[in-house]
Amino acid sequence: MSTQINKQITFDMSAVEAVIAQHKAMPGAMLPILHGIQESVGYIPSEVVQLIAQVLNVSRAEVHGVVTYYHHFRQTAPGRQVVQVCRAEACQAMGGDALAAHAKATLSCDFHETTEDGAFSLEPVYCLGQCACGPAIMIGDDLHARVSFDKFNRLLEAKRGAR
Ligand code: FES
């Protein structure tokens, strides 16, 4: 069964139910369930919080608290491409803060959010192994080093064009 969340985004409820069934009997099942759901449908739809609470016999607030405590868990569907901006020390020393601010302004979204058009999600990352040539970013599986504002804009445009 596919569940309609809004005009553009759906998730597979049967995949969610399968994950819950697989993990519900294990001790400390909430985190494995949440990880499994995110892996399966890309995020934790608000609609499944109540279901998890019922199955684990905990409050809805408790499940919501875990989802919001860990930044790893997305509460909205991911964009078609994930843009990761390195926030670790070496990149910060090379202008990483300014690049992060530029990325947020350019995409009109904050970290852990998705652009209006669903094209990009913006995420912080803590080291991409490019410390000597920061600031570094990753778009999808593609790593980019020494990223200036101009280079960031060009990379984004190329990804938009590639859709
Ligand atoms: S600190 Fe940014 S790549 Fe290592």
Side-chain angles (χ1 to χ4, degrees), residues 56-105:
L56 298 183
N57 197 25
V58 297
S59 70
R60 192 178 189 285
E62 196 171 331
V63 180
H64 180 72
V66 173
V67 172
T68 53
Y69 179 78
Y70 294 102
H71 276 151
H72 170 75
F73 294 125
R74 299 189 57 81
Q75 295 178 70
T76 55
R80 291 183 288 281
Q81 305 262 2
V82 176
V83 179
Q84 296 177 294
V85 178
C86 181
R87 304 296 296 125
E89 206 170 302
C91 280
Q92 283 195 34
M94 299 296 286
D97 284 344
L99 182 63
H102 177 75
K104 290 177 186 179

Side-chain angles (χ1 to χ4, degrees), residues 138-158:
M138 203 160 170
I139 304 179
D141 295 328
D142 300 330
L143 189 56
H144 304 280
R146 294 195 174 94
V147 180
S148 64
F149 292 180
D150 279 352
K151 185 172 178 179
F152 182 88
N153 296 347
R154 277 186 272 113
L155 290 168
L156 232 59
E157 274 318 300

